[in-house]
Amino acid sequence: MTTFGESHGPAIGVVVDGVPAGLPLSEDDVYKELLLRRPGHRWATPRREPDRPQILSGIFEGRTTGAPIAILIWNRDVDSRPYEEVRCKPRPGHADLAYILKYGWGNWDYRGGGRASGRETAARVAAGAVAKKLLLAIGVRVYARLAAIGGVELVDPREEPRPEDFIRARHSPLRVHDPALEERVARMIEEARSRGDSLGGVVEVAAFGVPPGLGDPVFDKLKADLAKAMMSIPAAVGFEVGLGFRLASMRGSEARDPIRLVDGQPRPIGPAHGGMLGGISVGTPIRVRVAFKPTSSIPAPIETWNVCENHPDSITVRGRHDPALVIRAVAVAEAMAAIVLADHALRAGAIPANRLGEKHVEAVERLWEEAYPWPQWARGGRGEA
């Protein structure tokens, strides 16, 4: 997978290579997933992007050909005026200073964060749509939900994850699995926004139906690749598998999952290791969490350094930003997990590398709408959010 484009350039996009021939795929399939992270609704940046994808290659008569799939997403609502101050004053907490130090002041695109902007993640979600549909060929479903926000836990990691909870979260504009929590989360976001502040949070990702044996020792462990994928998402600051950091405060007697027979196969039963042992899947749900910091783009002034005039300065960040970017990061984390799992399934031979058989195609067509329904909070289920 290769993404391209900048936040305030003409377009962003992605090229996905290695997809076997025969996968049914349409622009609507991709658009449905893009709805989950699209800006312009109440809980996101007011930047209004339609995010209608255009598939340029790799599809013929509704199916993949085995050639690279190029997907383009036009930037329609660009306003670079608020970023003129950023040209000389890197925003604390953003990638501005790092890009200046690495590429040189005259070579970085300061508009909207350029390549480091969260806008780039729309391309990842587009690629994730392809991966999620491909994984249905072997019955694997990948979901994510909001697990915590502003220090408030919404999900107990010790409880067994259930697909129906994640589908409920898919239908929530705040990506929470319990409708009773929506009002509380909404109130927290509105309070932070009214104070000119922002909130961080945690995304939980779970994959169901993952066969045992995905992941390779020792540097291509499944958990290692998932960690790299998640930590590549803008604003991601932490990653854990299963009970993660909680295990560090436990005793060994508390941190082991017993092994029992399930459907005739031995399986570890419990939340400790997130469906992986030794970095290899064991046939139980994969479960990981990703922590996201609050956006640094808030109105409160902060000290910075004027790189044009070489003196201390201050900056008040303007522009259009998320009060809680973790809400839209749910779709991105879900996509990245699907991409990693699809890659490992192909490498392990669980999915044919060259072309799908008719039984795979039948499974995809039967499960797609059931596993990934159109989000209900979009108008009419399929229209504008």
Side-chain angles (χ1 to χ4, degrees):
M1 178 184 77
T2 300
T3 67
F4 60 87
E6 293 80 33
S7 177
H8 287 207
I12 56 173
V14 64
V15 177
V16 185
D17 204 357
V19 179
L23 176 69
L25 188 67
S26 70
E27 290 177 352
D28 262 358
D29 294 335
V30 178
Y31 176 61
K32 178 169 65 172
E33 300 308 298
L34 285 169
L35 280 174
L36 298 172
R37 72 145 307 278
R38 196 179 64 181
H41 61 79
R42 181 179 178 186
W43 312 113
T45 167
R47 178 174 174 174
R48 301 192 67 84
E49 293 287 355
D51 282 354
R52 281 283 185 180
Q54 183 178 356
I55 297 178
L56 304 179
S57 66
I59 308 294
F60 181 69
E61 294 186 345
R63 292 194 180 190
T64 57
T65 64
I69 300 169
I71 303 174
L72 190 69
I73 305 167
W74 293 101
N75 292 328
R76 301 295 190 187
D77 185 21
V78 172
D79 182 4
S80 300
R81 292 170 297 176
Y83 294 93
E84 284 305 313
E85 186 179 15
V86 177
R87 179 194 287 266
C88 292
K89 300 179 185 180
R91 299 165 296 173
H94 284 270
D96 301 350
L97 179 60
Y99 271 61
I100 291 171
L101 295 174
K102 182 175 179 68
Y103 299 110
W105 176 80
N107 301 320
W108 75 292
D109 185 351
Y110 61 90
R111 305 165 304 163
R115 182 74 174 140
S117 169
R119 179 69 182 148
E120 179 267 347
T121 63
R124 300 173 186 234
V125 173
V130 181
K132 283 190 271 190
K133 199 161 192 186
L134 179 61
L135 284 168
L136 286 178
I138 56 171
V140 175
R141 306 180 185 205
V142 184
Y143 299 116
R145 61 181 169 181
L146 184 67
I149 187 168
V152 176
E153 291 281 346
L154 307 175
V155 175
D156 186 345
R158 296 166 298 182
E159 294 182 354
E160 185 72 14
R162 302 182 303 172
E164 55 265 33
D165 289 335
F166 287 88
I167 291 178
R168 278 198 293 270
R170 183 179 175 89
H171 290 308
S172 163
L174 293 169
R175 306 310 305 276
V176 297
H177 69 283
D178 185 350
L181 295 171
E182 280 198 354
E183 183 178 348
R184 183 180 185 184
V185 173
R187 187 168 59 249
M188 291 175 66
I189 296 174
E190 289 292 0
E191 287 175 356
R193 178 153 45 190
S194 68
R195 295 193 304 267
D197 217 333
S198 59
L199 298 176
V202 178
V203 173
E204 180 181 69
V205 182
F208 300 89
V210 178
L214 300 191
D216 297 298
V218 291
F219 297 113
D220 289 327
K221 293 179 179 180
L222 182 57
K223 68 177 181 180
D225 285 346
L226 284 168
K228 181 179 180 181
M230 297 304 173
M231 294 304 293
S232 75
I233 301 172
V237 291
F239 173 82
E240 61 180 1
V241 176
L243 293 182
F245 291 102
R246 291 169 177 82
L247 292 174
S249 61
M250 292 181 180
R251 297 182 183 275
S253 57
E254 303 171 299
R256 299 177 298 176
D257 292 332
I259 297 175
R260 299 171 184 158
L261 210 62
V262 178
D263 297 329
Q265 296 293 328
R267 298 283 188 263
I269 304 300
H273 301 103
M276 294 171 281
L277 292 169
I280 298 171
S281 64
V282 291
T284 56
I286 302 293
R287 195 177 191 184
V288 303
R289 287 185 162 208
V290 192
F292 290 89
K293 67 178 183 178
T295 178
S296 304
S297 296
I298 57 177
I302 188 171
E303 180 184 353
T304 187
W305 191 265
N306 191 310
V307 296
C308 298
E309 301 174 8
N310 199 31
H311 62 71
D313 213 327
S314 67
I315 185 169
T316 299
V317 178
R318 300 174 177 83
R320 300 169 293 180
H321 308 285
D322 293 78
L325 59 80
V326 67
I327 303 298
R328 293 200 294 143
V330 172
V332 186
E334 183 176 294
M336 294 306 293
I339 290 163
V340 170
L341 288 168
D343 187 44
H344 274 274
L346 286 163
R347 288 158 59 180
I351 296 175
N354 292 325
R355 69 173 183 269
L356 298 182
E358 285 308 311
K359 69 173 184 178
H360 297 115
V361 174
E362 186 277 330
V364 171
E365 292 179 330
R366 174 170 46 85
L367 295 172
W368 177 240
E369 294 296 339
E370 172 196 330
Y372 302 106
W374 288 81
Q376 292 175 354
W377 49 271
R379 293 176 189 166
R382 295 174 181 250
E384 298 297 310

